[in-house]
Amino acid sequence: RVVAGAIAALNRRTHWKGKWMEAEEFVFQGINDADPKNREVSMLLLNFMTDEVALMMMEKAGYPQRLLGVYERGLKDSEKAVSLMTLRAFSSLVSKCGTDEEMAPFEPLLPIMLNALTLACKQGHDDIVIEVINIFDELSPQSTYVFAKHTESILSAALEICSYPEVSPDVLSNAMGLLASLVRHKTKDLLKSPRIAEIMQLAFRTVATQAQLDPTEVENQSGYDLLHSMAKWMPKNIFFQPAAGIIMQMIQSPEPHVRAAGVLSLGAIAEGCAENMRPHVETMLQQVVRVMRDNNDTVRRCGLIALGRFADELGEMFLAKHMKPLIGDLFPILKTENEEIASAAAGVFQRMCSQSDKEMLVPLMEVILVHLLDALKFW
């Protein structure tokens, strides 16, 4: 690795002078060597060279076509180490040259990578799966025409990965991240797919699963991110009503982790669907307040997290109408014996006050201070 890195660095110094070293030919010959270790080393060198001189490599006449042959050979190699190193070399190229014009010569690689992805999933080769997903994730915002032709196939592959019962947390997180990237950058393409509802169901199902592990960390997990992305980037007439219906069902669940996931999901869609939520805010707020009184402490805490999101995203119009009654709901929680819940309630107070204007706060200031001081004495 050290020698390959040194050669690549030297190549950067000599490229601009037109002094081609033998490194390029070593790559082109090495990928066809009988010894898999030599094939792997040739891809390692290509990876380092790409990091150093990608743009100059692409400008050389005929070079992209020669590279395409190298990548095809490496991706189809029977040795996992060679395929993995080829993916890393191509990933380096994508990170440097990911536009449509630059990627057009390499479009034939996308179906090959999809096949490699499917095979790696079946064989349990998580490192290859993650590498392919990361390449697609990198291409998604940069490439339009080249990537769009394969969006449906990439979407199907990501959904299939997420459906595997034995999928590892790292692979699931990366696959969900790719779906979120597709939602953000390929919305129009996704709207042509019949699998929109499947993506939504996956997001809610994953939020519920991750809430079972630790509800208070759901906001930092892949299911929440996908749901948040869908709420923000998808047309609201397609997303909001189905999502709101699922959330209301989750909040009514007999399972505490599902109730927690439901109310957190309500917070997740608040930013993207704020305007759509306003006509329904009374009903939704009733559910949040009910969750804040849940007999399960973790569910109560999640309700407070969601209420904080409401204050942040729905803003002054929401607070002008609902701040006074909400203060009455929050006061008793400040003196609960569960310190985490009391702290979450205090955090909601802080967020509500920061989102309120002076005219709204002044009439309530005295009663707020009295109860906050009373809570301080309790603690």
Side-chain angles (χ1 to χ4, degrees), residues 27-281:
V27 168
F28 295 130
Q29 294 174 16
I31 192 59
N32 294 303
D33 196 279
D35 188 339
K37 289 188 177 180
N38 288 341
R39 300 199 297 273
E40 182 185 359
V41 170
S42 71
M43 291 298 94
L44 174 64
L45 179 57
L46 179 58
N47 185 13
F48 283 135
M49 285 171 53
T50 305
D51 274 340
E52 295 285 352
V53 292
L55 294 175
M56 288 181 278
M57 286 167 58
M58 295 291 286
E59 290 170 356
K60 188 180 179 185
Y63 209 81
Q65 288 71 28
R66 292 191 76 187
L67 277 179
L68 174 62
V70 170
Y71 290 131
E72 284 183 336
R73 173 68 182 83
L75 288 173
K76 294 177 180 178
D77 201 290
S78 59
E79 292 290 330
K80 176 194 168 188
V82 179
S83 299
L84 180 60
M85 194 55 67
T86 304
L87 284 167
R88 289 174 179 166
F90 186 62
S91 179
S92 295
L93 182 68
V94 170
S95 68
K96 305 285 183 180
C97 314
T99 65
D100 269 334
E101 183 179 359
E102 293 162 336
M103 282 292 104
F106 303 102
E107 185 186 341
L109 295 179
L110 270 66
I112 297 173
M113 285 191 290
L114 280 166
N115 290 335
L117 181 63
T118 301
L119 182 61
C121 284
K122 293 177 180 177
Q123 295 175 336
H125 295 161
D126 286 2
D127 45 4
I128 287 182
V129 173
I130 290 172
E131 201 68 50
V132 175
I133 288 174
N134 287 341
I135 290 171
F136 290 151
D137 199 13
E138 185 87 30
L139 278 172
S140 176
Q142 299 183 76
S143 172
T144 304
Y145 173 73
V146 171
F147 191 94
K149 294 170 68 175
H150 303 275
T151 299
E152 183 67 26
S153 298
I154 292 169
L155 169 63
S156 296
L159 287 170
E160 184 179 357
I161 291 169
C162 294
S163 70
Y164 287 154
E166 303 301 323
V167 63
S168 70
D170 282 347
V171 169
L172 177 63
S173 177
N174 279 270
M176 296 286 287
L178 175 58
L179 289 171
S181 183
L182 292 176
V183 167
R184 286 192 294 271
H185 303 295
K186 303 298 176 191
T187 310
K188 290 182 180 179
D189 295 324
L190 288 189
L191 291 176
K192 302 172 187 175
S193 171
R195 309 190 74 173
I196 292 292
E198 192 175 342
I199 302 173
M200 188 184 302
Q201 290 163 5
L202 171 66
F204 282 113
R205 188 167 64 247
T206 306
V207 169
T209 301
Q210 291 171 338
Q212 196 167 12
L213 300 175
D214 186 354
T216 60
E217 284 297 314
V218 162
E219 287 187 303
N220 302 317
Q221 301 292 331
S222 56
Y224 189 96
D225 180 56
L226 176 56
L227 193 58
H228 179 268
S229 296
M230 293 186 78
K232 189 170 182 180
W233 297 104
M234 289 191 65
K236 305 305 177 281
N237 62 322
I238 292 176
F239 175 80
F240 178 70
Q241 289 295 343
I246 294 172
I247 289 171
M248 291 301 109
Q249 289 177 6
M250 293 173 74
I251 291 176
Q252 302 291 335
S253 170
E255 297 293 333
H257 74 277
V258 178
R259 296 199 299 277
V263 76
L264 288 171
S265 297
L266 199 55
I269 72 170
E271 178 184 0
C273 297
E275 292 305 314
N276 302 79
M277 290 174 71
R278 293 190 196 283
H280 310 279
V281 74

Side-chain angles (χ1 to χ4, degrees), residues 250-324:
M250 293 173 74
I251 291 176
Q252 302 291 335
S253 170
E255 297 293 333
H257 74 277
V258 178
R259 296 199 299 277
V263 76
L264 288 171
S265 297
L266 199 55
I269 72 170
E271 178 184 0
C273 297
E275 292 305 314
N276 302 79
M277 290 174 71
R278 293 190 196 283
H280 310 279
V281 74
E282 297 284 352
T283 302
M284 292 181 172
L285 193 56
Q286 287 174 9
Q287 296 300 322
V288 173
V289 171
R290 191 176 68 82
V291 169
M292 286 162 45
R293 298 168 180 165
D294 199 277
N295 57 10
N296 182 286
D297 285 348
T298 302
V299 177
R300 293 174 68 197
R301 188 177 170 195
C302 291
L304 290 163
I305 293 171
L307 182 57
R309 285 281 182 190
F310 268 49
D312 288 342
E313 306 301 345
L314 299 180
E316 289 184 6
M317 288 179 63
F318 164 75
L319 291 173
K321 185 174 182 180
H322 300 286
M323 186 168 179
K324 188 172 182 179

